[in-house]
Amino acid sequence: MSIEKPAGNDMLKRIFRMQTELNDYVFSKNNLKDPSGNPLTMDTIYADVSGGALKVNDLPNTWLSNYSRAMREEILELDEELLWKWWSKDEIDIQNIRVELIDILHFLVSAMICSGLTPEKVYDIYSQKHAVNLSRQDSGYSMAMKNEEDNRNIG
């Protein structure tokens, strides 16, 4: 299977589309169903977010929790690849580290979709949060002055 490389501004859209296709395939292969007994899809989870189904047993929370756990495990696998003995003569396996980072990205994109994010919304929120982070650096940000007021208008 050959995957055509999209233009620069379409790459994130393509990643979201590929991840949706992969997740739908995994759901189908494992015969996962939504609460109505229909085949589970990422569109179903996304629609639940849009429709306000945000309680503990609703699909968005269930799948955000699943993807959060998966990311945590992948981060542990990444940590196992990283060396901490500064006196060691060992070398890191950069290829495997890259693969672990992409595994984390798979689950991160899945979680983004489950929270109702689109590639455009990711870019918008990232840009806003980036500006907050720069402002924090410029203002001498510290734990003593930490509050979330500067994050409240992001979205």
Side-chain angles (χ1 to χ4, degrees):
M1 172 192 212
S2 176
I3 297 177
E4 185 178 323
K5 187 176 178 180
N9 62 351
D10 292 331
M11 287 183 186
L12 187 58
K13 289 179 185 177
R14 181 68 183 136
I15 288 171
F16 268 61
R17 196 167 29 254
M18 290 167 54
Q19 192 60 46
T20 296
E21 291 167 1
L22 176 61
N23 290 349
D24 287 351
Y25 180 73
V26 169
F27 293 158
S28 176
K29 281 290 270 193
N30 290 283
N31 201 30
L32 297 179
K33 306 287 183 192
D34 69 17
S36 301
N38 299 314
L40 181 62
T41 66
M42 291 303 286
D43 284 343
T44 305
I45 299 168
Y46 187 88
D48 278 7
V49 171
S50 299
L54 305 175
K55 301 237 188 277
V56 66
N57 293 316
D58 291 335
L59 288 174
N61 185 69
T62 298
W63 284 96
L64 282 165
S65 179
N66 288 343
Y67 293 132
S68 175
R69 275 190 221 116
M71 282 187 285
R72 191 167 42 247
E73 292 301 320
E74 292 297 341
I75 288 170
L76 289 173
E77 289 179 20
L78 172 63
D79 282 346
E80 288 176 15
E81 291 294 325
L82 300 173
L83 305 173
W84 64 271
K85 295 179 181 177
W86 58 90
W87 61 87
S88 171
K89 304 299 183 236
D90 296 319
E91 293 182 356
I92 58 173
D93 182 348
I94 197 68
Q95 178 59 27
N96 198 48
I97 288 168
R98 290 172 177 161
V99 170
E100 295 300 343
L101 289 166
I102 296 302
D103 284 343
I104 294 165
L105 181 62
H106 274 96
F107 294 120
L108 177 60
V109 171
S110 295
M112 289 177 172
I113 296 166
C114 287
S115 71
L117 290 172
T118 63
E120 297 80 11
K121 194 70 172 168
V122 168
Y123 181 83
D124 290 344
I125 293 173
Y126 180 92
S127 297
Q128 293 171 49
K129 180 61 179 173
H130 182 76
V132 166
N133 288 345
L134 286 173
S135 175
R136 285 177 173 180
Q137 290 302 306
D138 290 343
S139 67
Y141 186 75
S142 69
M143 291 301 290
M145 60 186 287
K146 182 176 171 75
N147 69 51
E148 294 302 317
E149 282 306 310
D150 51 0
N151 283 329
R152 298 225 188 276
N153 293 323
I154 293 176

